[in-house]
């Protein structure tokens, strides 16, 4: 019995070590050693429009919004300023039962390229996307959020990276650091961006940044209406079919990071539900015909999603082995660590904690959120509808 518990405990530790240290190290060393970038746009493609611009595919930018009166006007203006032929470019805005001035402000922009759909009932983002895409006849669909900001050439860079072997492109989302507070999402995301570049270089890019990605219209598969992580599912459905998903760091977008880690917690609960939806509804993501994709999915996603479960296994096994002084120490270290994380959380607004402590708090909050998300997923305690948050605009309910 003790031997079995020890195997489980150290097996869980080994998986966490691999997921958070060994795998990222191997991936970053791989791309550094090969000297490959995820995608290099030809320098000529960055020039101003010439006669060749008439050959660019038609584009519809999709924006699903709920109560976005704070951002929607500026977002549409930002999109209309894109360096892309006006006669080949449209913006579809879908309001998902907004109760504020989102529709009014969106319709106040008089431009034939802007189409605003006011859906009366808050059904959820997946339903809005399905409906908007059903009406789009463009060659390429670009997805973004109401609170995202594009550089003038972002759409062009996403589109130019599409080719016969690439049906979807994921841009570079840069999270602006908060002015204050304990949320370290921007630091975590900087680390994720490096992994994305490395994974793309071996054909194993996972999902897309919801604020900045593009797909060929014919590659879209309708979403289940309660889908939470629509960006991940849309892009992965393309990747597992072998149609090509690439990372394009030249296609840059920006979003703000909220100050408080509790805002991040609510986002991560929503994301956690979506993660477990993807894990259990789409086993083909893990057992795909593309070895690189299966490897990156298991190493980067599945093990991260199972981290709270692995941490619980380590805690329970060390408790059951507590009569052994070594495992008593392991158990005590865990209790002290969790107690300290709780103390930092309670005092997060009253103490100027070092960055390393804030990072530890973020890790703890992230995994508590995933655990709650898992519970809500297996008990079906969620819907596809959303409510506003500071950054990501949608929290599953």
């Amino acid at each position: 019995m003790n031997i079995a518990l020890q195997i489980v405990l150290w097996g869980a530790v080994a998986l966490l070590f691999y997921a958070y240290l060994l795998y990222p190290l191997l991936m970053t060393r791989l791309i550094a050693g090969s000297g490959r970038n995820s995608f290099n746009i030809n320098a000529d493609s960055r020039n101003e429009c010439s006669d060749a611009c008439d050959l660019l595919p038609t584009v519809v930018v999709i924006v699903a919004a709920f109560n976005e009166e704070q951002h929607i006007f500026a977002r549409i203006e930002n999109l209309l300023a894109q360096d892309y032929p006006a006669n080949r470019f449209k913006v579809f805005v879908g309001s998902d039962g907004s109760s504020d001035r989102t529709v009014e402000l969106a319709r106040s922009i008089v431009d034939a390229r802007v189409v605003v759909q006011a859906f009366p009932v808050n059904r959820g983002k997946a339903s809005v996307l399905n409906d908007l895409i059903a009406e789009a006849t463009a060659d390429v669909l670009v997805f973004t959020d109401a609170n995202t900001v594009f550089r003038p050439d972002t759409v062009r860079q996403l589109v130019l990276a599409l080719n016969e072997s690439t049906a979807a492109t994921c841009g570079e989302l840069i999270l602006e650091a908060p002015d204050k507070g304990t949320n370290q999402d921007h630091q975590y995301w900087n680390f994720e961006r490096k992994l994305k570049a490395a994974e793309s270089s071996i054909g194993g890019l996972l999902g897309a940044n919801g604020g900045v990605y593009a797909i060929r219209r014919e590659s879209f598969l309708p979403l289940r209406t309660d889908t939470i992580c629509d960006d991940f599912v849309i892009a992965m459905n393309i990747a597992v079919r072998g149609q090509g998903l690439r990372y394009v760091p030249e296609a840059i977008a920006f979003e703000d990071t909220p100050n408080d880690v509790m805002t991040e917690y609510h986002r991560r609960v929503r994301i956690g539900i979506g993660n477990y939806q993807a894990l259990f509804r789409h086993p083909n993501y893990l057992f795909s015909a593309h070895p690189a994709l299966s490897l990156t999915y298991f190493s980067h996603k599945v093990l991260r999603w199972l981290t709270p479960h692995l941490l619980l296994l380590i805690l329970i096994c060390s408790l059951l082995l507590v009569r052994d002084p070594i495992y008593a120490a392991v158990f005590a270290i865990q209790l002290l660590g969790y107690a300290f994380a709780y103390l930092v959380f309670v005092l997060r607004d009253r103490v100027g904690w070092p960055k390393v402590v804030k990072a530890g708090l973020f890790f703890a909050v992230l995994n508590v959120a995933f655990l709650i998300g898992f519970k809500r997923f297996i008990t079906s305690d969620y819907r596809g509808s959303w409510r506003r948050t500071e950054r990501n605009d949608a929290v599953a309910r």
Side-chain angles (χ1 to χ4, degrees), residues 277-320:
Q277 282 182 336
L279 180 61
F280 291 102
R281 291 180 177 178
H282 301 279
N284 56 319
Y285 293 174
L286 183 59
F287 304 104
S288 75
H290 310 283
L293 192 65
S294 295
L295 171 67
T296 58
Y297 181 61
F298 173 75
S299 305
H300 187 175
K301 296 297 185 181
V302 175
L303 289 181
R304 299 277 188 92
W305 300 342
L306 297 180
T307 292
H309 308 77
L310 294 172
L311 291 172
L312 279 176
L313 268 180
I314 295 170
L315 184 67
I316 292 169
C317 288
S318 58
L319 174 60
L320 295 175

Side-chain angles (χ1 to χ4, degrees), residues 232-251:
F232 182 75
V233 173
I234 289 172
M236 284 297 288
N237 284 342
I238 291 171
V240 296
R241 299 201 307 273
Q243 296 180 341
L245 172 63
R246 299 289 297 273
Y247 192 55
V248 186
E250 293 86 355

